[in-house]
Amino acid sequence: MDTQLLNGMVTFKQVADCGSFTHAAILLNHSKSYISGEINKLENRLGVRLLNRTTRQISLTAAGEIYYRQCQNIITDALQVERQLSGQQLSPKGNLRVSCPVSFALAKIRPILGEYMDLYPQVIVELELNDQLVDVVADGYDLALRASGQLPDSSLVSRKLTSVDIVTIAAPSYLEQWGRPQSPDELVHHRTVNFRSTVNQNIWQYQDKSGQQTTVKVDSHLITNSAEMELALCIAGQGIARVPKLVLSDEIKKGSLVLLFDDFLPVSVDIFLIYPNRKYMPSKVRSFIDFLVSKMS
């Protein structure tokens, strides 16, 4: 394809509309000689004369009339596309693909999603719940929410949204059979139910109220990629688990689960917003990010 195909069209149309090189040069913020040179290059490339030039006026040739009409259509179409894209930047609309951990979505996104939809009715939210890491760019997501205390190096933009507490729990039936650990160090002698993650899933860290840190390498007896399944297995007495506090409802109050290590500080895990780039961010993405930040920060 000829990369010079559209060169000179806007200049030619402006000269034809003005009927003057001088007036066209003023409107296009160029010199008269530059405008004249652009028209000459255009005519040479096309192999036809587009303008009749006299000392007093400029008029279109027959070929110029044909070319002018086509230029008018092409330029009008291009302007409409630009206005449409600019409008998308101003008014949130279109499909918004979001990936989010299941438990966080159910506990934190579900209660407020309807409010966002009411605010931006032209946005179609595709909320995909997935506890596994996704490739935001390759998988076509506009935005991902991920739970991690530390993000790996990435060309993506990450922004901390909020933090959630992680608690250690066990069922009374498990404690009756295996005994209640009095400190995290004793976890090495217990069965654990673990959430599958890509890093350090068997390393559980604790900090007591004096600031002393303890790191325990647990031996997982059950591993799952679902926080909900992890909770259910723990309730069934299959082992001790560490889960986001937000997945708990009234299990502690009802006595189906017991909190362990009350004299240790809660472990905090950060929730990050992850997206490709801040530059030219579509308004649908910006509106959703701003909405979440306003609700959770």
Side-chain angles (χ1 to χ4, degrees), residues 56-69:
R56 293 187 177 183
Q57 66 178 5
I58 293 174
S59 61
L60 293 170
T61 65
E65 291 276 5
I66 296 171
Y67 192 69
Y68 177 82
R69 286 194 296 271

Side-chain angles (χ1 to χ4, degrees), residues 25-43:
I26 293 172
L27 291 175
L28 295 175
N29 197 28
H30 282 294
S31 66
K32 180 181 176 181
S33 60
Y34 173 85
I35 298 299
S36 179
E38 286 295 294
I39 297 301
N40 287 335
K41 286 191 288 186
L42 178 61
E43 290 178 327

